[in-house]
Amino acid sequence: MRCDRTTAWAALRGHFEAHGRDFDLREAFARDAGRFSSLSFEAPEVFADLSKNHLDIATLRFLLDLARECGLEAQRDAMFAGAAINTTEDRAVLHTALRAPRGGSRKEHAAKASPFNDEVHGVLDAMLAWAETVRDSAASGIRHIVNIGIGGSDLGPQMVVPALDAFVHPGLQFHFVSNVDGHDITPVLRRLKPAETLFIVASKTFTTQETMANAHLARAWFEAEGGTDVARHFVATTTNVQAAAEFGITTTFGFWDWVGGRFSLWSAIGLPIAIAIGADHFRELLAGAYAMDRHFVDTPLASNVPALLGLLDVWYRNFHGATSRSVAPYHQGLRRLPAYLQQLEMESNGKRVDRDGELLPYATSPVVWGEPGTNGQHAYFQMLHQGTGAIPVEFILVRRPTFGSAGLNADLTDRLERQQTMLLANGLAQSQALMRGKTTEQALADAAPTASTQLDSAILARHRTFPGNRPSTTLLLDRLTPRSLGALIALYEHRVFTSGAIWGINSFDQWGVELGKALCKDLLPRLTAVEVDNADLDGSTAGLIARLRA
Ligand code: F6P
């Protein structure tokens, strides 16, 4: 049933008016000494503290009712069973089959069952074996890997490779080229020699304008710089093996139309990751994701972390009216996570009609944005603390670092350990400050009379007041390893599935990117043709074209 027509939706509306609008986190903690333990949850590799959110056990109960009334579990099981839930493209959605262990059969648990198990493991074995030959740089001569792809054929590997830096082959350098803007590829090419370079052309369709332009440019550069043997230095990862062959690529690792671009890092699109961290670690990444799949399928909704996070997203978006969520990973390796999540969440759930094509009267995907902590603290956290509206923040803390201290003296090791502690203290302090705030009285007590010569201390204190009561979630990992990262990414995938399932939308298509692509095809010749007649265009576009041609 559509979520806004359920009994639970009406109950949540009433609950929000009675207890949600004026919910006070500080009072909630003062009232309930067990709040942290009752609102924090364990998932594989990830501990989730939801207790600093505007919810209580009653809210959770209503949200779980909503999940049941919307058939979340049945929808989840249909996805895992390979039903064609991406109805507008008539496709199954089976990225979970990419991490199911070898030998899963239909009779076994849904998360393991896949009719494609043999095919998946065939490609995986071949890809990982090939990745190992590239990693043997003494034999391969390869020092630089350039991934040419965009969107889902870029953001996953581009996020994962730096995140797992401690596991990356020390003799290889990774470059990610996505933008059709030549300012992306030129600084990369400047650092390369053809004989030491492997180009991976990554494109599910092998038709994407930006990727094809960059791939052709890379090949032209390769040949112009005296490179020989295109077949050895260019490899493709795609579902369109035929188009890759026409490009002149003979080594291709394939995948399937039931793998959505933004869910594809587990497939051949993960080749740069496999080359970076090696076969065993790549399998660990898959194993971490698989553990999260099992958690999502096996765990009752009341303690199912991806389901709870997805429901929380619905609570904030549809009842509190939150238009965005800020993600703050306190791990520099996760610096591209917000960009990765922007595609995962906003391309999936940025929809305005339900599965039957009916216009929705309620909001869907929030804006997702962020930067690594502590950098964000010195930029936009001002707005999170003292801006006019509350924005839910998601802190990701990683207890132990992976950068290693081998080769460093005791003093440096000690300094690095202290910096790790500083990092964690910063993350904790921010979520505490958001919740706690600072009253005008406290600010008045603190406001030194000499702080401003122009304002009296009462006015100054108001500038220094923090409203507090601002919600946050903390996800805690022990170490950022292939396994824990795999689990974390799968957690986000299932969370997005959950909110999309509640909203009744198709989270697996992306028609919204098509119009711009089509219009670009029309405008392209107008920028260069000798004779143009732009009378059919709007005044702005025609005017801008005239200036660009001048
Ligand atoms: O334009 C959006 C999109 O289709 C994404 O969904 C996809 O990840 C990206 O483009 C790249 O597509 P491809 O892998 O086919 O080049």
Side-chain angles (χ1 to χ4, degrees):
M1 196 197 302
R2 211 176 77 180
C3 58
D4 61 329
R5 297 183 180 135
T6 59
T7 317
W9 191 272
L12 277 163
R13 178 68 58 214
H15 175 71
F16 175 74
E17 295 304 335
H19 306 286
R21 200 184 285 288
D22 300 324
F23 189 89
D24 192 294
L25 278 168
R26 296 149 299 192
E27 286 169 17
F29 274 101
R31 248 192 335 265
D32 177 7
R35 183 173 169 85
F36 172 70
S37 56
S38 55
L39 290 174
S40 53
F41 303 88
E42 292 277 359
E45 304 289 332
V46 183
F47 175 81
D49 173 17
L50 272 53
S51 66
K52 289 199 193 86
N53 281 292
H54 285 206
L55 88 175
D56 55 24
I57 297 296
T59 324
L60 267 191
R61 214 175 38 241
F62 290 128
L63 287 170
L64 292 168
D65 288 346
L66 179 68
R68 273 185 286 272
E69 279 192 78
C70 294
L72 172 63
E73 288 165 299
Q75 293 193 53
R76 172 199 66 194
D77 294 346
M79 173 175 74
F80 276 87
I85 60 170
N86 177 359
T87 48
T88 61
E89 296 179 312
D90 201 20
R91 287 177 186 166
V93 174
L94 271 175
H95 47 278
T96 52
L98 299 167
R99 51 244 190 172
R102 190 185 308 277
S105 79
R106 277 170 185 277
K107 285 199 193 109
E108 285 175 78
H109 195 279
K112 218 174 169 185
S114 158
F116 306 104
N117 192 267
D118 288 344
E119 272 180 80
V120 164
H121 282 275
V123 175
L124 178 64
D125 291 346
M127 173 180 100
L128 294 183
W130 195 81
E132 289 299 330
T133 65
V134 177
R135 283 168 64 79
D136 182 0
S137 41
S140 72
I142 297 297
R143 302 271 180 278
H144 294 269
I145 319 291
V146 184
N147 190 76
I148 298 177
I150 196 163
S153 298
D154 165 62
L155 288 164
Q158 199 200 126
M159 182 268 287
V160 170
V161 171
L164 297 178
D165 180 65
F167 302 84
V168 171
H169 189 303
L172 296 176
Q173 286 192 42
F174 291 81
H175 313 273
F176 295 89
V177 171
S178 52
N179 201 330
V180 75
D181 179 356
H183 293 96
D184 200 3
I185 197 166
T186 43
V188 173
L189 294 179
R190 213 177 290 138
R191 282 180 264 154
L192 304 179
K193 293 195 185 95
E196 296 181 347
T197 305
L198 173 71
F199 291 97
I200 302 174
V201 184
S203 175
K204 180 174 171 180
T205 55
F206 224 79
T207 58
T208 303
Q209 185 199 52
E210 296 91 329
T211 301
M212 290 303 109
N214 278 321
H216 283 284
L217 189 129
R219 191 174 62 187
W221 169 88
F222 182 82
E223 287 167 350
E225 293 295 307
T228 52
D229 206 351
V230 168
R232 211 173 81 78
H233 290 272
F234 283 76
V235 59
T237 53
T238 182
T239 57
N240 190 351
V241 177
Q242 174 69 30
E246 281 160 17
F247 183 93
I249 293 181
T250 51
T251 306
T252 297
F253 297 99
F255 58 109
W256 304 271
D257 71 356
W258 41 260
V259 183
R262 51 194 176 274
F263 301 91
S264 64
L265 71 88
W266 324 99
S267 72
I269 292 295
L271 179 61
I273 304 172
I275 297 172
I277 64 175
D280 292 346
H281 285 134
F282 192 84
R283 289 188 192 280
E284 278 286 291
L285 184 80
L286 298 180
Y290 177 67
M292 191 58 75
D293 293 342
R294 296 303 300 250
H295 171 83
F296 186 48
V297 171
D298 293 339
T299 311
L301 294 183
S303 48
N304 189 313
V305 177
L308 290 172
L309 289 173
L311 291 168
L312 191 60
D313 291 338
V314 172
W315 177 234
Y316 281 128
R317 186 75 182 102
N318 300 115
F319 296 90
H320 287 266
T323 53
S324 82
R325 187 177 96 248
S326 185
V327 179
Y330 278 67
H331 190 302
Q332 186 63 14
L334 292 173
R335 59 189 171 273
R336 293 298 286 161
L337 183 69
Y340 174 81
L341 293 179
Q342 283 175 342
Q343 189 197 18
L344 180 66
E345 303 201 21
M346 292 156 73
E347 198 172 72
S348 296
N349 286 347
K351 309 286 164 67
R352 61 195 274 282
V353 296
D354 69 10
R355 281 185 291 253
D356 297 326
E358 291 296 321
L359 209 56
L360 296 173
Y362 47 83
T364 56
S365 180
V367 175
V368 180
W369 58 282
E371 280 287 319
T374 58
N375 299 12
Q377 291 173 208
H378 296 274
Y380 53 78
F381 267 59
Q382 161 65 39
M383 186 262 263
L384 295 177
H385 288 290
Q386 287 190 314
T388 47
I391 295 173
V393 184
E394 194 158 283
F395 292 92
I396 303 175
L397 302 187
V398 183
R399 195 164 74 94
R400 291 189 293 149
T402 35
F403 44 69
S405 49
L408 300 181
N409 67 29
D411 172 50
L412 290 174
T413 306
D414 188 49
R415 283 170 189 274
L416 280 170
E417 271 168 24
R418 275 185 276 139
Q419 286 192 210
Q420 174 66 14
T421 313
M422 280 182 213
L423 176 71
L424 294 175
N426 268 280
L428 288 176
Q430 291 301 320
S431 68
Q432 193 188 32
L434 284 166
M435 174 174 75
R436 228 193 226 187
K438 187 174 187 179
T439 62
T440 307
E441 292 67 43
Q442 287 167 334
L444 203 48
D446 289 356
T450 53
S452 168
T453 49
Q454 298 168 29
L455 297 179
D456 74 39
S457 53
I459 295 174
L460 189 56
R462 282 206 293 280
H463 285 276
R464 293 179 168 198
T465 300
F466 291 64
N469 197 30
R470 302 209 156 177
S472 67
T473 296
T474 300
L475 302 179
L476 185 58
L477 278 63
D478 185 45
R479 289 171 80 230
L480 194 61
T481 61
R483 181 175 281 263
S484 66
L485 182 60
L488 181 70
I489 300 167
L491 170 71
Y492 278 106
E493 289 177 350
H494 297 322
R495 167 207 204 138
V496 171
F497 175 86
T498 298
S499 50
I502 300 297
W503 287 323
I505 57 183
N506 180 354
S507 301
F508 302 101
D509 60 10
Q510 54 284 319
W511 297 105
V513 301
E514 295 303 326
L515 179 59
K517 286 185 194 172
L519 294 184
C520 178
K521 276 203 186 112
D522 170 60
L523 293 184
L524 193 55
R526 296 180 191 250
L527 284 166
T528 49
V530 183
E531 299 271 310
V532 280
D533 177 4
N534 289 334
D536 57 327
L537 295 181
D538 62 89
S540 164
T541 309
L544 291 169
I545 288 178
R547 287 193 78 94
L548 287 167
R549 286 173 61 95

